[in-house]
Amino acid sequence: MMVDSTLTQLGKNISEAMKILADGQRELEMGTTTQLFSRSSITGPLQRDGQDAATILHFVHNLIHEEDEMEDKPRQHRLQNVGEQGHMALLGHSLAAYISVLDKEQLRKLTTRILSDTTLWLCRLFRYENGSAYLHEDNRDGLVKVCRLIINARYEEYASEGYSVFRSKQPVIYQSASCRPGLGQHLCSQLGLPLSSLCTVPCNTIFGSQHQMDVALLDKLIKEDLEAEKLPLLLIANAGTPGAGHTDKLGRMKDLCDQYNMWFHVEGVNLATLALSDVTSAVMAATRSDSVTLTPGQWLGLPAVTAVTLYRYEDPALSLAAGLTSSQPVEKLRALPLWLSLQYLGHNGIVQKIKDATSLSQQLLQKLKSLASIKILVEDELNSPVVLFKFSQEMTAASSGGSVEGYCAGEKEVLDSFNRWLGEQLVQLVPTSGVEVVEFEDEGTYIRFSPLLTAAALGTQQQDIEHMVKRLMELVPVMSSTVSLRQDFREETHRHAASLRYVEKLSWPGLGAVRYQPQEAEGLHESRRKQELEKLNAELLKKLQDLDSDIMFSSGPEFETEDDCIFIGMVTEDVDVSELVETIATLGKEIEESGRLLENMTEVVRKGIMEAELQLQRANEEKLMEEGMLRQLPLVGSVLNWFSPVQSSIKGTTFNLAAGSLDSTEVIYSTKAQASRLSLQDTPTSSSKRLQGQRLFRHSGASTISFTEISSIGQADEITGKESTPVHSSIHPATTPPSPKEDMHSGRDVSLQKIPECAEMVGSQEASEGQEIKHGER
């Protein structure tokens, strides 16, 4: 069979281009990539000499991964798995440019054939008989064109009178509260309708799914609009809501549309199951609708393939006026990539891809049923292609006395933050799973698995589901223990209310947040107090992070506004909360005392020197009065002291830098031996009782295997259980009383030779409470 050489070369060029980009991606993942094309990221003038195709493709690759190359740790991106069918879709875009330059008659015949084939295949594949197809880039554009078709059909004078025809009867568009966000507003904006033409129908509250439109209330609203002389125009239903994947009661809604002469439009991910042999009756009712919007590109993993709106309408003139059909052959070339891809996959290949995706949902659903503390939300356990699950409080039991049901007033918000953390961890640990976090107003935060939208693009396989379940089995127990210990942490913090303040952070997925706040700081000016607290807590955080512990201490998420809090991450059930809080309070007090000593050192030394000078002067006067003048003469005094020694009553004194006072040395001499004995026993009780190999903040009987490398707000890359390391005694540093220096006594004049040493100690910042400067008789 003869093939146009241009088409052959086109396919070859596409394959080579994809190979170059794929090789560059593999080199980037392996860390062996080099900068093959250097150019500033800032837009510059066009180069004088042309570049070959390979160089330009390498430049494109560098632009795609420019941010990753600049970062130390490249971010993980969900890259689409472009298979052979994806190559056909990409080839279709190139072929469209080639075909557009053909002779007009050839172009017309070819584009008509491509569009008619695509329409026929899609209608038969998804059981939509006698339909026409409109292909569009924006998946909302098909509904916009359908609305224009309905307006032209229901308002006969619209083509000549324009929007003035709405004065007699205002059109009304009905949508579900669970529909795509912003869809109705987009329709009104594109059609020039006021927002009052949009009616959002609430979902069920008592009977049925809370994600399905309340059909009884819809009927009531339509009757009210008719009584107000409005025109019910369009009803938008969901076969798989964007959030939960539930299907509206399409059969009853279609009957209402027939009753009130309304157009019925259906969209949603569950429409893909129409291609399967076994289809639920709820989804099968979508084949009775007036129009449906399909997204085969997402379902089949076809990159840059348009969405398709299938509709039934017999008047081609109105369809042309609404923009659903076009007389321009180039417009019909949008179907070319999809046309090629459908032929490449074939009917069986398309059905198999959709079947594989739905089987992944069933596989995950069955495995989740065996996990504790996991709540599942599905519409139909036998046929639901969308699975939602979350960490559930109802199935969690408090493990250390804390009540899960009432541990805080914002329990729902706390659990939502934990589920957001769980979803982010699964995205990082199993990126090919395609899970994402969704928020519901009533049910809270869930993790959604919708393989029809992600599996084909990410290449999700059964082993990815098993990997994800394995990660869940590791993460959920840690979340359960953290939730159970949150109340214990709050109570322990309140017991140290003199220095610690519990900070209520419901959005923090961890044990909690605490602030070290000494009472002395409350009397300072607000700006000064805040500055001191930030400085003190920052240093405390650094010391906590240096401890040999599995617990993660951080300054909180990036968007956190308070800078003076210490956030504690996830913990295991064997964590000793009382020891943890005690350590935080002890370290904070040590930092506070050392900081206060350094800040007041200059003033203490200055006042102490002045007092020492006065006391030394009085001591010299007393010595002179007691011993007499003769004993003060150098030679005579020595002779007199030899023949008649005098027992001086002048006692030695010490200069305490911390207290800024002069004290007698008698107490030091009498307690010197006792202080030495006590210093040997001054070690923390928790450290002495800790077993060899036991990590910090663990109960003595707990296992040494710990849950490590779990971060908060998506900072961890891997979660592993590893052996604990021996605890260092530096957690509670023992403060040994300094041994006093011996006083120097003599019969000579007492001088201030020791005083300058104080200033030297201040300069070296080695002074601490208990350091002493002594003087005595010479």
Side-chain angles (χ1 to χ4, degrees):
M1 181 176 63
M2 298 295 296
V3 180
D4 192 341
S5 60
T6 304
L7 295 178
T8 303
Q9 185 64 32
L10 187 62
K12 182 179 178 181
N13 292 340
I14 289 291
S15 300
E16 292 179 353
M18 294 300 300
K19 184 177 183 300
I20 291 175
L21 294 177
D23 291 343
Q25 176 63 28
R26 282 192 292 269
E27 292 177 0
L28 182 65
E29 293 175 353
M30 297 174 60
T32 60
T33 183
T34 56
Q35 192 74 16
L36 300 176
F37 193 93
S38 177
R39 180 182 293 181
S40 173
S41 59
I42 302 176
T43 304
L46 181 65
Q47 294 187 1
R48 293 180 178 273
D49 299 330
Q51 305 292 330
D52 56 60
T55 304
I56 296 175
L57 287 174
H58 282 301
F59 175 55
V60 172
H61 173 268
N62 292 337
L63 288 178
I64 294 174
H65 302 286
E66 183 177 12
E67 294 183 1
D68 293 341
E69 293 175 356
M70 292 187 297
E71 296 179 357
D72 296 335
K73 294 182 179 180
R75 294 173 295 178
Q76 292 185 353
H77 301 280
R78 289 183 176 180
L79 297 178
Q80 181 164 342
N81 181 31
V82 182
E84 290 296 330
Q85 73 276 7
H87 290 180
M88 295 300 296
L90 298 177
L91 178 61
H93 290 279
S94 300
L95 278 177
Y98 169 73
I99 294 175
S100 64
V101 299
L102 295 178
D103 179 76
K104 290 185 178 181
E105 186 62 23
Q106 287 182 308
L107 178 62
R108 185 187 62 80
K109 291 181 180 179
L110 182 58
T111 54
T112 302
R113 172 63 185 272
I114 292 173
L115 181 59
S116 60
D117 285 350
T118 304
T119 302
L120 176 63
W121 297 339
L122 290 175
C123 288
R124 289 185 176 180
L125 187 64
F126 295 102
R127 307 171 188 250
Y128 199 82
E129 298 179 357
N130 301 323
S132 301
Y134 171 66
L135 288 85
H136 44 94
E137 302 291 340
D138 189 341
N139 54 16
R140 301 171 298 180
D141 194 35
L143 185 54
V144 173
K145 296 296 193 296
V146 165
C147 287
R148 286 179 178 163
L149 172 64
I150 307 168
I151 290 175
N152 278 278
R154 299 297 300 274
Y155 295 90
E156 297 179 358
E157 299 179 355
Y158 176 76
S160 58
E161 300 294 334
Y163 296 109
S164 60
V165 299
F166 298 150
R167 296 176 181 175
S168 58
K169 284 189 176 183
Q170 180 181 355
V172 181
I173 299 174
Y174 301 91
Q175 67 171 4
S176 171
S178 298
C179 73
R180 282 186 288 169
L183 177 61
Q185 289 79 0
H186 178 76
L187 290 177
C188 293
S189 174
Q190 295 297 313
L191 299 172
L193 298 177
L195 291 179
S196 58
S197 295
L198 180 65
C199 179
T200 301
V201 183
C203 295
N204 296 322
T205 56
I206 301 178
F207 302 103
S209 169
Q210 296 183 3
H211 301 276
Q212 293 177 343
M213 182 186 295
D214 190 337
V215 181
L217 182 58
L218 171 65
D219 188 11
K220 179 181 178 182
L221 292 174
I222 294 175
K223 292 179 180 179
E224 292 177 354
D225 289 334
L226 289 174
E227 293 176 358
E229 297 185 353
K230 294 182 179 180
L231 179 63
L233 194 68
L234 168 69
L235 173 60
I236 305 172
N238 293 291
T241 55
H246 291 196
T247 301
D248 289 325
K249 300 184 182 303
L250 303 181
R252 292 181 57 190
M253 297 170 76
K254 174 58 178 173
D255 294 339
L256 281 180
C257 289
D258 293 340
Q259 178 182 349
Y260 297 108
N261 193 23
M262 297 170 56
W263 186 279
F264 186 45
H265 178 84
V266 181
E267 59 181 22
V269 64
N270 293 349
L271 292 174
T273 59
L274 289 172
L276 303 178
S277 58
D278 186 13
V279 187
T280 61
S281 58
V283 178
M284 183 63 73
T287 58
R288 298 173 50 200
S289 64
D290 299 302
S291 60
V292 293
T293 296
L294 312 175
T295 55
Q298 288 181 313
W299 304 339
L300 305 177
L302 306 176
V305 169
T306 59
V308 182
T309 294
L310 302 178
Y311 64 96
R312 297 188 183 100
Y313 200 74
E314 298 178 355
D315 191 343
L318 289 182
S319 300
L320 181 63
L324 288 171
T325 58
S326 175
S327 59
Q328 299 296 326
V330 178
E331 295 289 335
K332 300 178 182 179
L333 285 176
R334 293 177 181 173
L336 184 57
L338 182 57
W339 183 73
L340 292 175
S341 300
L342 292 178
Q343 291 186 86
Y344 181 83
L345 290 171
H347 185 278
N348 293 337
I350 295 171
V351 173
Q352 188 62 41
K353 274 190 169 293
I354 297 175
K355 186 177 181 180
D356 291 343
T358 55
S359 65
L360 292 176
S361 297
Q362 293 301 312
Q363 179 187 359
L364 177 62
L365 181 60
Q366 295 303 319
K367 291 183 177 296
L368 289 177
K369 290 180 180 179
S370 62
L371 296 182
S373 303
I374 291 294
K375 181 179 180 180
I376 304 172
L377 177 63
V378 292
E379 182 181 20
D380 184 358
E381 293 188 359
L382 299 178
N383 298 285
S384 178
V386 180
V387 178
L388 287 92
F389 61 93
K390 70 173 182 177
F391 170 71
S392 174
Q393 59 172 338
E394 291 84 3
M395 303 177 68
T396 306
S399 60
S400 61
S403 174
V404 177
E405 286 74 12
Y407 71 93
C408 69
E411 177 184 0
K412 180 177 179 296
E413 186 175 350
V414 171
L415 291 176
D416 286 346
S417 66
F418 273 64
N419 282 289
R420 281 190 291 269
W421 177 86
L422 178 60
E424 292 168 358
Q425 291 294 317
L426 292 177
V427 170
Q428 289 188 0
L429 298 173
V430 194
T432 54
S433 64
V435 297
E436 57 183 341
V437 178
V438 292
E439 305 278 350
F440 298 112
E441 183 177 356
D442 297 327
E443 293 93 339
T445 301
Y446 274 84
I447 301 169
R448 180 177 62 198
F449 178 64
S450 182
L452 281 173
L453 297 178
T454 61
L458 298 177
T460 309
Q461 302 294 332
Q462 292 185 359
Q463 54 266 29
D464 297 318
I465 304 301
E466 296 175 356
H467 188 200
M468 180 169 59
V469 174
K470 181 180 178 181
R471 292 302 182 186
L472 279 172
M473 296 173 65
E474 296 173 350
L475 293 170
V476 169
V478 180
M479 298 173 65
S480 299
S481 60
T482 304
V483 170
S484 301
L485 293 173
R486 281 178 69 99
Q487 177 67 11
D488 296 343
F489 179 74
R490 177 202 289 263
E491 294 176 355
E492 287 294 332
T493 305
H494 289 333
R495 292 191 182 99
H496 294 76
S499 57
L500 295 181
R501 297 291 184 273
Y502 180 83
V503 182
E504 192 70 64
K505 293 294 180 182
L506 302 179
S507 60
W508 172 251
L511 189 61
V514 69
R515 178 191 298 115
Y516 186 84
Q517 186 173 343
Q519 296 181 355
E520 289 78 1
E522 297 180 357
L524 300 177
H525 189 268
E526 180 64 24
S527 59
R528 174 66 176 172
R529 183 184 67 86
K530 184 176 181 181
Q531 182 180 0
E532 290 297 327
L533 287 179
E534 290 180 2
K535 181 180 178 181
L536 192 152
N537 282 276
E539 188 172 352
L540 176 58
L541 174 61
K542 186 177 183 302
K543 284 202 171 188
L544 290 172
Q545 291 173 339
D546 292 339
L547 296 179
D548 183 21
S549 171
D550 297 329
I551 302 177
M552 191 210 70
F553 302 93
S554 70
S555 57
E558 297 180 358
F559 54 84
E560 179 58 43
T561 57
E562 297 189 36
D563 300 329
D564 55 348
C565 294
I566 298 174
F567 291 79
I568 297 92
M570 296 286 177
V571 296
T572 51
E573 61 181 357
D574 58 346
V575 166
D576 190 341
V577 177
S578 60
E579 180 185 351
L580 171 62
V581 177
E582 178 68 27
T583 301
I584 297 175
T586 302
L587 291 178
K589 186 175 182 180
E590 292 177 359
I591 297 173
E592 177 191 359
E593 291 178 351
S594 62
R596 187 189 307 118
L597 177 62
L598 292 177
E599 290 178 359
N600 299 334
M601 188 65 68
T602 303
E603 184 66 18
V604 168
V605 171
R606 186 183 66 82
K607 293 181 178 180
I609 289 177
M610 294 177 62
E611 183 180 353
E613 288 179 346
L614 294 177
Q615 292 193 18
L616 290 175
Q617 185 178 357
R618 288 195 296 268
N620 287 332
E621 294 175 355
E622 293 176 1
K623 186 178 181 66
L624 180 60
M625 296 296 294
E626 181 180 348
E627 298 181 358
M629 181 63 71
L630 291 178
R631 291 184 182 273
Q632 310 307 318
L633 298 177
L635 184 58
V636 178
S638 299
V639 175
L640 290 176
N641 289 332
W642 176 265
F643 289 103
S644 179
V646 176
Q647 184 67 28
S648 177
S649 61
I650 305 299
K651 304 299 182 181
T653 57
T654 63
F655 181 30
N656 192 326
L657 289 178
S661 62
L662 292 173
D663 302 325
S664 175
T665 58
E666 291 182 348
V667 178
I668 295 178
Y669 288 127
S670 62
T671 60
K672 180 176 181 180
Q674 182 180 358
S676 300
R677 291 193 298 269
L678 290 177
S679 63
L680 298 177
Q681 303 174 359
D682 189 15
T683 55
T685 305
S686 59
S687 298
S688 62
K689 293 182 180 180
R690 197 179 309 281
L691 299 176
Q692 180 68 19
Q694 183 180 348
R695 307 205 73 165
L696 281 177
F697 315 128
R698 303 289 179 187
H699 292 292
S700 58
S703 173
T704 58
I705 301 299
S706 58
F707 187 83
T708 60
E709 298 183 10
I710 295 185
S711 67
S712 178
I713 313 304
Q715 296 177 352
D717 295 329
E718 190 67 23
I719 299 174
T720 59
K722 67 177 182 179
E723 293 292 335
S724 301
T725 56
V727 176
H728 300 289
S729 60
S730 60
I731 302 170
H732 302 283
T735 305
T736 304
S739 59
K741 298 180 181 179
E742 297 182 357
D743 292 342
M744 305 285 295
H745 297 276
S746 69
R748 298 295 178 184
D749 185 21
V750 181
S751 65
L752 292 173
Q753 293 178 359
K754 294 287 183 177
I755 299 300
E757 296 178 9
C758 298
E760 295 178 2
M761 283 186 281
V762 174
S764 61
Q765 295 185 358
E766 295 179 351
S768 63
E769 185 173 356
Q771 286 181 315
E772 300 165 346
I773 301 174
K774 312 174 187 65
H775 66 86
E777 297 182 2
R778 296 186 57 183

